[in-house]
Every structure is written in structure tokens, then in C-alpha cells.
Amino acid sequence: MPQLPPGLGAEAPAQASAETAQRFYRFLEDAFDRQLQRSPMTSQALLGRKDLQDRWDDLSDAAADESIAETRHDLARLQAEFNPDDLPQNAQLSYRLFEYEANARLEADAFRYHDYPVNQMTGWQSSIPTFLNNVHRIDTIEDAEAYVSRLEGVRPLVDQIIAGLEERARKGILAPKFVYDKVIRDCRNLLQGVPFHAAGTESTWFADFKTKVDNLSIAYKMKPQLMRSAIGAIVAYVGPAYRDLIVAAARLEALATTDDGAWKLPQGAEFYAHALKRITTTGLSAEDIHQFGLQEVSRIHGEMEDVIRDIGFEGDLQSFFRHVNDSSEFVYSNDEGGRTAYLTEATRVVDEMYAKLSTAFKTMPKAKLIVKRVEAFREQSAGLAFYEMPASDGSRPGVYYVNMSNMAVLKKFQLEALAYHEGVPGHHMQLAIAGELVGIPSFQKFGFHTAYAEGWGLYSELLAKELGGYRDAISDFGRLAMELWRATRLVVDTGIHAKRWTRARAITYLREVTPNPDAEIVGAVERYIVLPGQATAYKVGMRRIVDLRSRSRTALGSSFDLGEFHDIVLSYGAVPLDILDQLVEEWIRSKSSG
């Protein structure tokens, strides 16, 4: 990692001793390790650790209380035992980030129950099998036995989930009515197949375990024993747990209303303001964000009109939107041949962009990137596309997932922008590089700030154009359509949660101003409803990164180096946008004075 530019905090003090710095970093690592001990799932997903691989996270209130008490204690220790002005410059940044994140966790605890643990996007009902499929490796008999222990642990885990849902209901916190039918559908899908039924295809649970155990090099007689153990656990624990969850979801559905926004929750306005602060890492209000979104929608529409004139299309922007929506030339066939063709093309686009990155990056990730279809059991509920970061031990590559349940929404002209955002130079560059950083505390390496991460992903769509991506004008229109989609999120998210827009009004707005098909529009609005504020991160973060790059180029002139700028942005892990401002400003000052 580059040396922190001087001046972010105090100048590196002459009295800053190696012993003080070592003690400080030991404190940070100890705090991070204790966090991982509290989350076996995070420990394995981030680091590939197996010491707790037979357990799920503890979702009880008691565990949450202990975690908050520990955060409060760590913050007090940080401030009592260390003076940031007595630390080396890189350590000063780590101090500020640890302090920021500890305070953020403490503030967020006031809204501990203001979420929807089961939902169609990130709900536990699909997260449990997804974790087993994608994170729990089976390399040994012990790993297989731990997998069975986790299958047995599904029952108490789901009991905690249901208890949490009921506690939220008592507090007046219920997801909108439409959510529960989708959750019940997910649960029912996961109760299909062997061993829930005597014949037919294997269930998601058993198919994954069987495939992994079949690949083990162990005595043949051991494999049937392990299979029987897994089947027993699935039948005795997983099945009853998911049937209980279906009953609970149906009970909550009967209590739920069709009100969609966070405003309906207890202290809803305060919660949403907090969500915007936490997600954007800025002080922007809902009204600020709403107006910025409207301005961006207007600007992008103007750029789109320029593109369709260059294409030679005769008609206005709305006519072109209808054209790209209705014409079969812009989609792959909705069959296995079309899905294979899409994956092949997305892989080619990623590989070609990899070859261009050296002109804009001084640091490249070691981890590989693969393109993969979203698994069948969750494709009806999952988003259009997303990225899963690699394991830091190299055991798992970065994965760009594409949801192929409905090929009509995977427009050919958006294929490149989507691959650049989720793959390279997007999330894979940012998250894989962060995971491979050396000389940086673990909490910083694996930290996450949505506006930073998603801002980088959206910025990468523009950067890809500058690096020679997008083969033709219609693909560039696809880039603009993707940016437009993120701009409308600013309008719709704040509309729903601050201005009391209904689900129907939000859908109508997106139909009027975007070229996106109805299926995608409806899914997106339902996403914004269950994840208040999350969708505002993309454009807010992108604008900040683009502004910082423009400011740097203007200030430095011929001394500006794009690779150095990207190193400053990517080489300290995920940071709040205000701290990113300071990192870049100090880099500008250090280069100007040097």
C-alpha cells in the first residue's frame, strides 16, 4: 500500500515509537478477532476459517447486547490508551476509521429491530442454503461432519429468526404484505426434492452436500455414512424449521399492511435519516438526495438523446425506450442456449477488460474472477446481478453472479456495463484488492461502506468507457441506461421512505423515465422498499469519486496520474466518503509540494 500522504492527521511524530504502533495494531487485531468469534459465518466467508464451521451466528438479543457492550468497551479503550497524534500517519487513519465504525455501530443499535430479517432480497430463508452452497467447503471428513452439524443447527437458528420476527411485530415492525408470499415461495422451493420426497431431483440441501462429499478422496464406505447423516439432519431439522418459518410468515402476512415506506415504522423519520447517513456516509438529507436524483435523470436523458441521434433512430426518447424493450434483437433467447451465450459473452467482456487495466491501475488483484449463473433455488428472489468477494486464503475466487431466471431483463446492450460494474474494473478490483492488502489492519481490509463500494462500481462503468470498453453506440446507451437506473433510485428511494410514495407510484415513475422492462421495475421497487436507503449509495458515491478525480486532475495538471489516483482510492480499504475526500486532498497537496 502507498504511504499515507502527510497531513491527513498530524505529521508523523518524532516520538512515535515502534512499540506504540505495535501495541495499537495488536489492539485492532484483537478487537477484529473477537468480532469474528461472534460470527462464525463472517469468519468463514471472509477468511475461510474453519475453527467455528459447525456453528451458525447467534441471533439472540443477548448476543447482540454482548456485542454492543464489547464495541462500547473497545471504543473506550481506544480513546483512553492511544492518542492519534502519537501514532504514525497510517495508524492515524486506522484510529479514525475504527473510531468512526465503532460509533456507527453504537448509533445503529437504536434501530436494532428496524429491518426485515426475512425478505425477498437478503432474507435468512435463502441466505442459509446460499451460505452452505457457496462458503462451506468440504475438503475433509471433519468438514463434512461440521456441515451436518450446521444442518442440525438450522432448527435452532430458524427458531431465533422467528423469535426476532415476532419481537419486531410486537414493536409494530412488519414488512409490507407482498414480502411474505415471496418468502413462503422460497421456503417451499427449499422443501422440494430428495429427501423430502422419495423420488425426483435432489433437494438443494442434499445435492450440495452429496456433490461435495462425492469429490472427497476418502474410504468409499465413509461416503454412505456421511450421506445418511446428512439425510437424517435434513429430514429431522431442516424440514421442520422451514415448515415453521412458512407458518410464521403466513401469520405475519395476515397482520401486515400495504404501506411500503420506512415512515410507517416507529420513529420512522429518524430511522430513515440514520439509514441515509449510515449508507451514504454523508450528511445529505432525503430532500438533497431526491433533488440530486431529479437533476441527474434530466442530464442523462439529454445524453441519451444524443446517442439515439447518432444511431439514426427516428423518434423521441420514449419511442426508443419502447423499441429496445419490445425488440427481440436486444435479448438472448430464454432457454439454455441463450443463457450459455450470455455467460460466454460476459466472460469474454471481462477477460478483454482485464487486458486494458494496466493503463489505469498500478495495483492488480491476485484473485481470479469467474462469471456464474445464480443458483436455481434462489434465482426467483435474487437481484439481477451481484458480486461475491474471494476468500482471503485463495480457496474461492471472486464470483460475478448473473440471474438468468428471466432473460428478457438481461438486455444485450447492458451486458458490458453490468460486467464492468460487478467484475472489472468494478467490485472485483475494489474488494479483491482490499482483501489482499498488506500492512493494514484486518478490520480496515474487510470493512464495508456502501457508498464507497457501490460508488466505485458505478464509477467503473464510466471508467470502462475511457479504457476502450463498449463496442458500439448501443452499448454506450446501455451504460447510460444503467446510470439512469441508479439516478432514479435516488428519486424512488427517498420518494417511498420520506415522501410516502406508494409501491404503485414508484413503479409508474420508473416506467415513465427508464427503458427497463416491467419485471425489472417491479423487482427493483420491491427491493428499495425492504432495504431503505441502500439504493442511494450508488450515485452519491460515484459523484464523489468523479468529483475527486476532476479536482485532482485540475489541481495537478500534467502531474496527475490516474493509476496513482486509483491507488489512493483503493489502497486503504473501504472508507467513508468524507475520509476519502481527505485522502485525495492530502495526496494532491503532497504531489503539489513535492
Side-chain angles (χ1 to χ4, degrees):
M1 65 183 286
Q3 177 65 26
L4 188 68
L8 179 67
E11 291 294 322
Q15 69 271 28
S17 68
E19 188 278 330
T20 300
Q22 289 171 3
R23 186 166 57 86
F24 173 66
Y25 284 124
R26 280 198 302 272
F27 162 78
L28 297 181
E29 292 305 314
D30 176 62
F32 181 73
D33 189 64
R34 280 185 277 107
Q35 287 182 12
L36 290 185
Q37 289 295 318
R38 291 189 176 280
S39 178
M41 297 173 70
T42 302
S43 174
Q44 192 164 14
L46 282 184
L47 303 179
R49 284 172 51 170
K50 295 185 175 184
D51 51 325
L52 301 171
Q53 68 170 338
D54 60 339
R55 307 176 200 175
W56 297 103
D57 288 3
D58 186 344
L59 306 184
S60 67
D61 265 350
D65 290 341
E66 290 174 4
S67 178
I68 286 297
E70 187 172 86
T71 297
R72 189 173 288 111
H73 176 71
D74 284 342
L75 180 60
R77 276 194 61 196
L78 174 82
Q79 294 169 338
E81 297 180 20
F82 302 99
N83 182 342
D85 293 341
D86 293 338
L87 295 169
Q89 287 166 353
N90 283 327
Q92 291 175 31
L93 174 61
S94 299
Y95 182 105
R96 295 184 62 194
L97 287 171
F98 188 92
E99 185 177 49
Y100 178 98
E101 292 177 12
N103 278 317
R105 283 195 295 274
L106 295 177
E107 289 176 12
D109 191 53
F111 303 103
R112 181 188 297 185
Y113 302 101
H114 283 64
D115 64 351
Y116 306 133
V118 295
N119 63 70
Q120 79 283 7
M121 292 299 304
T122 59
W124 274 102
Q125 80 283 352
S126 57
S127 295
I128 296 169
T130 298
F131 182 89
L132 289 171
N133 275 239
N134 294 341
V135 177
H136 192 118
R137 293 162 45 207
I138 297 181
D139 303 316
T140 66
I141 291 175
E142 291 73 23
D143 297 342
E145 292 170 342
Y147 194 114
V148 173
S149 293
R150 273 191 165 138
L151 289 172
E152 294 171 349
V154 167
R155 183 66 186 269
L157 175 63
V158 170
D159 286 346
Q160 287 189 332
I161 293 164
I162 293 172
L165 292 171
E166 291 174 343
E167 178 63 21
R168 285 167 175 79
R170 284 190 289 273
K171 295 178 181 294
I173 299 172
L174 288 152
K177 190 175 286 288
F178 76 82
V179 169
Y180 296 100
D181 182 61
K182 297 175 186 296
V183 170
I184 290 169
R185 179 192 61 202
D186 284 350
C187 292
R188 286 177 174 157
N189 286 342
L190 287 162
L191 291 173
Q192 299 301 310
V194 177
F196 301 115
H197 301 97
T201 59
E202 294 163 348
S203 69
T204 294
W205 311 92
F206 185 57
D208 180 62
F209 183 83
K210 183 175 182 294
T211 298
K212 290 173 179 175
V213 170
D214 278 343
N215 290 330
L216 280 180
S217 297
I218 58 175
Y220 179 77
K221 67 178 182 179
M222 287 297 301
K223 293 185 178 182
Q225 294 176 25
L226 291 170
M227 300 297 181
R228 285 193 295 272
S229 295
I231 289 171
I234 292 166
V235 171
Y237 298 98
V238 175
Y242 271 72
R243 285 189 282 272
D244 285 350
L245 190 53
I246 289 171
V247 171
R251 184 168 63 248
L252 295 172
E253 183 179 25
L255 301 174
T257 70
T258 56
D259 292 334
D260 298 309
W263 54 265
K264 71 174 184 175
L265 304 175
Q267 296 181 290
E270 294 85 352
F271 162 66
Y272 188 56
H274 165 78
L276 292 179
K277 176 184 175 183
R278 173 176 52 84
I279 289 164
T280 69
T281 62
T282 71
L284 293 172
S285 69
E287 187 61 28
D288 293 334
I289 292 170
H290 192 82
Q291 293 303 320
F292 173 49
L294 291 172
Q295 293 163 13
E296 284 294 278
V297 168
S298 178
R299 176 188 64 80
I300 296 167
H301 277 173
E303 292 191 24
M304 285 179 153
E305 288 169 349
D306 292 340
V307 171
I308 65 173
R309 277 196 297 270
D310 291 343
I311 291 173
F313 180 81
E314 294 183 2
D316 62 13
L317 191 57
Q318 287 296 328
S319 299
F320 191 72
F321 285 175
R322 289 191 293 272
H323 170 63
V324 297
N325 246 327
D326 298 341
S327 176
S328 61
E329 71 177 287
F330 297 117
V331 294
Y332 289 93
S333 57
N334 194 33
D335 54 29
E336 290 311 302
R339 293 178 176 91
T340 298
Y342 189 102
L343 288 174
T344 300
E345 179 64 7
T347 300
R348 183 196 65 77
V349 165
V350 165
D351 290 344
E352 284 193 0
M353 180 51 64
Y354 250 115
K356 303 175 188 291
L357 295 179
S358 60
T359 61
F361 292 90
K362 294 186 179 300
T363 303
M364 292 290 292
K366 298 181 181 67
K368 301 299 183 185
L369 172 68
I370 62 172
V371 185
K372 188 175 178 180
R373 178 180 176 180
V374 172
E375 301 89 350
F377 74 86
R378 58 171 175 158
E379 66 181 6
Q380 294 300 319
S381 299
L384 180 67
F386 51 92
Y387 173 78
E388 183 179 279
M389 71 182 294
S392 64
D393 63 357
S395 61
R396 188 181 68 248
V399 183
Y400 161 32
Y401 277 102
V402 187
N403 189 336
M404 297 188 160
S405 60
N406 181 3
M407 294 301 291
V409 302
L410 286 171
K411 300 295 187 183
K412 289 181 179 179
F413 58 80
Q414 291 181 325
L415 182 151
E416 286 188 71
L418 201 57
Y420 299 143
H421 180 106
E422 302 295 347
V424 290
H427 287 319
H428 184 65
M429 291 295 288
Q430 180 247 314
L431 288 166
I433 287 173
E436 295 166 5
L437 291 173
V438 295
I440 191 171
S442 297
F443 88 92
Q444 200 171 326
K445 182 185 299 188
F446 297 109
F448 186 82
H449 292 283
T450 310
Y452 171 93
E454 297 299 354
W456 175 266
L458 187 50
Y459 163 76
S460 295
E461 296 175 28
L462 174 63
L463 176 63
K465 179 180 181 180
E466 298 165 348
L467 296 180
Y470 306 105
R471 61 173 57 186
D472 51 27
I474 190 65
S475 289
D476 194 37
F477 174 84
R479 175 187 66 82
L480 288 169
M482 296 276 282
E483 187 179 2
L484 174 66
W485 191 237
R486 278 45 166 265
T488 62
R489 288 175 174 177
L490 303 177
V491 180
V492 172
D493 196 289
T494 52
I496 291 169
H497 297 294
K499 295 179 177 292
R500 302 196 176 202
W501 284 19
T502 63
R503 174 176 174 273
R505 180 176 176 183
I507 289 170
T508 297
Y509 173 77
L510 291 179
R511 284 173 177 158
E512 290 172 349
V513 301
T514 76
N516 299 66
D518 257 19
E520 187 176 5
I521 285 171
V522 172
V525 169
E526 292 177 345
R527 164 189 168 175
Y528 309 153
I529 288 169
V530 301
L531 300 172
Q534 192 273 345
T536 65
Y538 298 72
K539 279 296 295 181
V540 170
M542 179 200 187
R543 178 175 69 167
R544 187 67 61 93
I545 294 171
V546 170
D547 286 351
L548 288 172
R549 191 180 72 169
S550 177
R551 198 185 314 165
S552 302
R553 182 174 276 123
T554 299
L556 296 175
S558 61
S559 297
F560 175 79
D561 184 293
L562 185 59
E564 287 183 25
F565 172 79
H566 288 152
D567 257 3
I568 291 296
V569 174
L570 296 178
S571 292
Y572 299 97
V575 297
L577 295 182
D578 287 348
I579 289 180
L580 183 62
D581 270 357
Q582 294 171 36
L583 283 168
V584 173
E585 287 294 339
E586 293 305 330
W587 172 68
I588 292 170
R589 277 199 282 271
S590 67
K591 283 187 70 73
S592 298
S593 62

